[in-house]
């Protein structure tokens, strides 16, 4: 039998029925609802009267899934837009930023080189000027000394001639000759004596000494102070010696703040170190060598003194001996109302400050024997004092209005 005459073949197998989704373990129905109160899918029976989710916030699972899908789609679109923005930023903005960074760095380098070159040139010019002044002062002093040598050599020769003449008069004339020629010899003796008295004794003269001021320069001082402060790791940890604090002052627990009190405290035990009249206080440690810096906050006070003092500074009485800046033992920067001055040994040098500094810094160079007062906010040197300090120096403080504090 041929295939054409064959009867129809077997019918195709039916498509498999879709597998049922998860069923409710309690009712055996499809989980087509979602209970937001319990946070799980439930069946229709669970939502009906008597069901466990009756009265809960429920919603068809398909609607919830569709809403979530829409949120995911929206988030994907936002992420795509964010990615596009980042891609554009990386492709278009960052290259420009990179070019500008290179350009600005190059300009910054040129500015640094230009400014430091100017500073270097200024320093070299100032160095040359000061060295020439030092050399000129050395030559002047040397020439003055040579002139004095010649002058005193001639004076010695003249004195020797006068003395020789008088000695000859004594040794070569007998008594009779001396008496016979008395009138003439007395005149000669008078003339010789007058000539000798015309030769004055050597006197101390500044012209014979090297003038250190020839090496002083405000520019050099400012540059040196800036460099010195930059070279220090920080300011000194200065604390006030409680034993020295005046009974008119109150010292804070950390030993850095002094507060003025017009009423004398009776709680302070008197001792040899304590100032008993002036509102003074000394630091606990002294400086004997090297470079030292410390800063005092003075913005709250209109009457204060800060500086350095020798340990021999008297502590008792109301006289100038124990008053800062009025004796040979203390060197201080002082303020009273709107007046500023530097004081030492009763000499007061007014300082024309344009504004009241909030803080006052001190830079003490014991090798160079210099004390500088500066404004930490601007680095400006307010005053420089050069002296031969005869011993170890203590930071010293006085306040007669409000408070001052050592900054650390």
């Amino acid at each position: 039998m041929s295939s054409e005459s064959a009867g129809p073949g077997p019918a195709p197998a039916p498509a498999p029925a879709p597998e049922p989704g998860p069923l409710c373990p309690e009712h055996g129905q499809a989980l087509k609802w979602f209970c937001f109160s319990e946070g799980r899918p439930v069946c229709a029976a669970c939502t009906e009267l008597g069901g466990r989710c009756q009265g809960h916030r429920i919603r068809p699972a398909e609607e919830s899934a569709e809403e979530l899908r829409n949120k995911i789609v929206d988030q994907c679109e936002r992420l795509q837009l964010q990615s596009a923005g980042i891609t554009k930023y990386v492709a278009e903005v960052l290259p420009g930023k990179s070019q500008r960074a290179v350009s600005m760095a190059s300009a910054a380098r040129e500015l640094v080189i230009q400014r430091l070159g100017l500073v270097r040139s200024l320093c070299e010019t100032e160095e040359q000027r000061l060295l020439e002044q030092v050399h000129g002062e050395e030559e002047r002093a040397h020439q003055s000394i040579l002139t004095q040598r010649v002058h005193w050599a001639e004076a010695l020769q003249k004195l020797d001639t006068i003395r020789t003449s008088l000695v000859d008069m004594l040794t070569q004339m007998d008594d009779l000759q001396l008496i016979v020629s008395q009138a003439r010899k007395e005149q000669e003796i008078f003339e010789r004596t007058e000539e000798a008295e015309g030769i004055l004794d050597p006197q101390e003269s500044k012209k014979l000494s090297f003038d250190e001021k020839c090496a002083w320069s405000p520019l050099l001082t400012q540059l040196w102070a800036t460099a010195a402060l930059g070279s220090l790791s920080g300011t000194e940890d200065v604390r006030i010696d409680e034993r020295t604090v005046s009974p008119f002052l109150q010292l804070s627990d950390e030993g850095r703040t002094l507060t003025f009190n017009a009423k004398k405290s009776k709680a302070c035990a008197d001792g040899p170190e304590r100032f008993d009249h002036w509102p003074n206080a000394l630091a606990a440690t002294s400086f004997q060598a090297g470079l030292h810096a410390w800063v005092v906050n003075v913005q709250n006070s209109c009457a204060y003194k800060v500086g350095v003092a020798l340990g021999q500074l008297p502590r008792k009485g109301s006289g100038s001996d124990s008053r800062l800046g009025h004796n040979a033992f203390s060197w201080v920067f002082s303020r009273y109302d709107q007046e500023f001055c530097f004081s030492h040994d009763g000499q007061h040098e007014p300082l024309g400050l344009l504004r009241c500094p909030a803080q006052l810094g001190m830079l003490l160079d014991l090798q160079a024997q210099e004390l500088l007062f500066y404004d930490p906010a601007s680095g400006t040197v307010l005053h420089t004092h050069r002296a031969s300090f005869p011993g170890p120096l203590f930071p010293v403080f006085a306040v007669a209005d409000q408070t001052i504090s050592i900054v650390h």
Side-chain angles (χ1 to χ4, degrees):
M1 180 183 290
S2 65
S3 62
E4 286 79 4
S5 60
E19 295 183 5
L23 302 178
C24 175
E26 185 177 349
H27 303 104
Q29 298 182 21
L31 300 173
K32 294 185 176 182
W33 297 80
F34 188 82
C35 177
F36 289 93
S37 299
E38 295 188 2
R40 67 184 184 88
V42 296
C43 68
C46 291
T47 67
E48 295 174 351
L49 185 63
R52 63 180 297 169
C53 294
Q54 180 187 355
H56 289 184
R57 190 166 67 90
I58 61 174
R59 189 178 181 186
E62 186 177 350
E63 289 183 10
S64 298
E66 183 65 22
E67 182 180 352
L68 183 58
R69 287 191 182 92
N70 291 336
K71 289 182 179 180
I72 293 174
V73 170
D74 291 343
Q75 184 63 33
C76 288
E77 290 177 353
R78 284 194 291 269
L79 291 175
Q80 186 175 0
L81 290 175
Q82 185 178 5
S83 297
I86 292 174
T87 301
K88 182 178 180 181
Y89 179 81
V90 171
E92 299 178 6
V93 177
L94 286 184
K97 293 281 187 182
S98 178
Q99 291 177 0
R100 281 193 294 273
V102 171
S103 176
M104 292 179 69
S106 177
R109 290 190 191 93
E110 291 179 3
L111 181 63
V112 169
I113 293 173
Q114 178 188 10
R115 290 188 172 181
L116 286 178
L118 180 61
V119 171
R120 191 178 298 111
S121 175
L122 183 62
C123 288
E124 290 174 353
T125 301
E126 186 70 357
E127 177 185 18
Q128 183 65 29
R129 185 184 72 84
L130 291 174
L131 290 179
E132 288 177 357
Q133 285 189 181
V134 169
H135 178 72
E137 176 62 17
E138 182 184 24
E139 287 292 315
R140 184 208 60 76
H142 182 65
Q143 187 62 42
S144 296
I145 293 171
L146 288 179
T147 301
Q148 286 287 303
R149 286 184 182 277
V150 172
H151 170 75
W152 292 116
E154 293 176 353
L156 287 172
Q157 184 177 2
K158 186 178 293 185
L159 289 174
D160 186 62
T161 300
I162 295 172
R163 181 177 177 276
T164 300
S165 174
L166 294 175
V167 169
D168 289 344
M169 190 181 298
L170 288 173
T171 58
Q172 296 180 8
M173 298 181 68
D174 55 27
D175 295 344
L176 185 59
Q177 291 175 320
L178 194 60
I179 293 172
V180 170
S181 59
Q182 180 176 356
R184 183 171 56 83
K185 291 302 180 184
E186 283 184 352
Q187 180 62 30
E188 183 179 348
I189 293 171
F190 173 77
E191 292 175 355
R192 296 291 187 181
T193 302
E194 189 177 47
E195 185 179 1
E197 289 177 349
I199 301 174
L200 301 177
D201 293 336
Q203 301 291 327
E204 183 61 35
S205 172
K206 292 183 177 180
K207 294 181 179 181
L208 301 178
S209 301
F210 180 84
D211 186 3
E212 294 180 341
K213 292 182 179 179
C214 68
W216 294 2
S217 159
L219 173 62
L220 179 60
T221 299
Q222 183 67 60
L223 291 174
W224 173 82
T226 302
L229 291 170
S231 69
L232 294 172
S233 58
T235 56
E236 301 284 345
D237 184 13
V238 175
R239 294 175 187 264
I240 295 168
D241 186 353
E242 192 279 332
R243 299 173 302 170
T244 69
V245 177
S246 163
F248 291 100
L249 300 177
Q250 180 180 350
L251 180 64
S252 61
D253 292 339
E254 83 279 5
R256 295 196 183 99
T257 300
L258 289 170
T259 302
F260 177 71
N261 190 343
K263 187 176 181 180
K264 191 173 184 179
S265 173
K266 298 180 179 179
C268 295
D270 194 19
E273 297 89 358
R274 192 177 304 280
F275 293 95
D276 67 354
H277 180 80
W278 299 108
N280 303 342
L282 280 178
T285 55
S286 64
F287 304 129
Q288 302 186 45
L291 188 64
H292 307 275
W294 63 99
V295 175
V296 180
N297 188 334
V298 294
Q299 64 180 341
N300 296 324
S301 179
C302 292
Y304 61 81
K305 295 179 182 180
V306 292
V308 294
L310 296 171
Q312 303 96 296
L313 176 67
R315 316 298 169 88
K316 307 302 180 183
S318 59
S320 296
D321 285 349
S322 57
R323 189 178 183 185
L324 299 186
H326 289 255
N327 49 66
F329 305 103
S330 56
W331 298 258
V332 293
F333 177 105
S334 65
R335 175 188 178 183
Y336 183 73
D337 198 12
Q338 298 300 313
E339 297 181 356
F340 301 86
C341 71
F342 172 79
S343 301
H344 170 65
D345 203 12
Q347 301 297 315
H348 310 288
E349 181 179 348
L351 304 176
L353 271 63
L354 298 178
R355 65 182 184 86
C356 303
Q359 294 184 339
L360 196 62
M362 278 132 285
L363 182 62
L364 178 64
D365 185 357
L366 287 168
Q367 180 179 357
Q369 297 286 282
E370 285 187 354
L371 174 63
L372 274 74
F373 299 92
Y374 66 95
D375 183 353
S378 62
T380 303
V381 175
L382 305 177
H383 182 71
T384 303
H385 181 74
R386 298 170 177 86
S388 180
F389 299 114
L393 296 174
F394 291 81
V396 69
F397 315 88
V399 57
D401 174 60
Q402 300 296 322
T403 65
I404 60 173
S405 301
I406 302 170
V407 178
H408 180 64

